Amino acid sequence: PPANITKQIIGLSDAEAAKIVASWHRKGQLTSTAASGEVTGSDKQNEKSASSRSSFPLGIPRGNAAQLVNVSMHQLAIVSEFAKEGGLDSLFQCHCDNSIPPPNCRVMMLNMQLIYQLKKYIGAPKYQDLVWEVKESIPVALLRYQDIQLKEINVKEFSDVCVATKDIIMSVQTDDSGVKVATPNQDLLQAIDILRLSMAKKLLLCSQLQKRYQGLSMIKDIIETVSNKLPLQLEKRYQLLGVKRNVSTSGKGAKPNQVSAANISSAPLKSSLTTVQVSSWLVENCIINAIFGESLHQDLVAKSDVILTYMA
């Protein structure tokens, strides 16, 4: 709306502001219709075919008047046209369609950023629907990764996708009374951690040795965050075996027996999983077989002491 309309709605309730803005829009539409003449039959047919191409035939609903004070009608028109032409459908289709390769982590981040930016243009119910689509489609896309995608994955970017997924879900989560919550619930955190472990397993089974190291490192990170007694158990094990622990020279103050590849994975995050859940996951997913099975590699085995000690 122009400046004079904006000034009129300052301090008004949403209902009163909406009436003024709607009246201004109606006047603009009447002027536009008079200038362009009657709509032809072909125009109607084009509108019908455009709406049939999308799951959002009416575009996306606008937010309330207070949200849209600083948003131009041209921006709203572009967002609505994007939805009507199937833009949102295509976004989620690239995550879930098995006939096309899954997108890389950078594309997933861009898709989530786009959805988040739509928050100020659309109503809360539609935004929540889009977020639930994100919640379902991002894990599907990641778990569709095959060897060719795993060889290209950057673990830092994958970690960013996990954090962004959690954050965008948090943007619509509320408690039982409908109040927005400030911290994620346990179920959400555990779902993200299970997703991390699932991707770690995929990397561990990759044909590229470097990616196998990354998968092993991710699993070790989770284990080390859930087991407080693990460092003591490792120390006792080495004392009994009479083996000197290797000291990494990757940097000042490096810890003993640490994988000397700071770029392999980010610093371990606090896990929401319990020791029982992690142990069950290791057994159910045959992680020991993945390390010591047909694709056994000496260096990989040498770095698996944390997993062996944890499961002992």
Side-chain angles (χ1 to χ4, degrees), residues 174-244:
T174 58
D175 58 20
D176 294 337
S177 61
V179 178
K180 185 177 179 181
V181 295
T183 56
N185 61 42
Q186 193 71 1
D187 290 341
L188 174 57
L189 292 176
Q190 289 186 356
I192 296 295
D193 281 337
I194 291 296
L195 181 60
R196 284 195 178 98
L197 285 173
S198 299
M199 186 56 66
K201 178 187 175 183
K202 281 184 167 289
L203 288 167
L204 188 60
L205 297 174
C206 183
S207 62
Q208 190 177 91
L209 182 60
Q210 182 188 12
K211 297 303 177 183
R212 299 189 70 194
Y213 284 146
Q214 291 178 356
L216 181 64
S217 179
M218 290 169 66
I219 295 173
K220 288 169 64 177
D221 285 349
I222 294 288
I223 290 175
E224 288 171 351
T225 60
V226 301
S227 178
N228 296 327
K229 297 180 180 179
L230 187 60
L232 181 61
Q233 292 170 341
L234 281 171
E235 193 62 37
K236 288 182 177 179
R237 176 175 180 270
Y238 276 90
Q239 287 177 359
L240 290 172
L241 293 174
V243 178
K244 292 183 179 181

Side-chain angles (χ1 to χ4, degrees), residues 234-298:
L234 281 171
E235 193 62 37
K236 288 182 177 179
R237 176 175 180 270
Y238 276 90
Q239 287 177 359
L240 290 172
L241 293 174
V243 178
K244 292 183 179 181
R245 303 186 69 181
N246 295 326
V247 178
S248 170
T249 58
S250 59
K252 184 177 179 180
K255 295 181 180 179
N257 203 47
Q258 202 171 39
V259 178
S260 58
N263 62 335
I264 282 183
S265 65
S266 56
L269 301 172
K270 184 177 179 181
S271 175
S272 61
L273 300 174
T274 65
T275 54
V276 174
Q277 288 173 316
V278 173
S279 298
S280 299
W281 183 89
L282 292 170
V283 173
E284 292 170 3
N285 289 273
C286 304
I287 298 303
I288 298 300
N289 290 342
I291 298 172
F292 293 90
E294 295 179 359
S295 56
L296 181 145
H297 191 280
Q298 184 177 353

Side-chain angles (χ1 to χ4, degrees), residues 80-91:
S80 183
E81 188 66 19
F82 173 77
K84 286 194 290 185
E85 291 297 323
L88 293 172
D89 293 325
S90 298
L91 185 150

Side-chain angles (χ1 to χ4, degrees), residues 67-133:
Q67 289 177 313
L68 298 177
V69 168
N70 296 317
V71 176
S72 76
M73 61 185 299
H74 303 292
Q75 290 174 313
L76 289 171
I78 290 170
V79 170
S80 183
E81 188 66 19
F82 173 77
K84 286 194 290 185
E85 291 297 323
L88 293 172
D89 293 325
S90 298
L91 185 150
F92 296 119
Q93 183 182 11
C94 80
H95 292 171
C96 304
D97 190 347
N98 289 325
S99 65
I100 58 177
N104 61 38
C105 291
R106 291 187 296 275
V107 172
M108 293 186 207
M109 286 293 294
L110 290 172
N111 289 345
M112 283 190 281
Q113 288 169 5
L114 172 61
I115 295 298
Y116 187 77
Q117 291 299 321
L118 288 176
K119 184 178 182 180
K120 63 181 179 181
Y121 297 106
I122 63 179
K126 178 54 65 177
Y127 174 70
Q128 184 169 343
D129 290 344
L130 294 178
V131 170
W132 292 148
E133 290 280 359

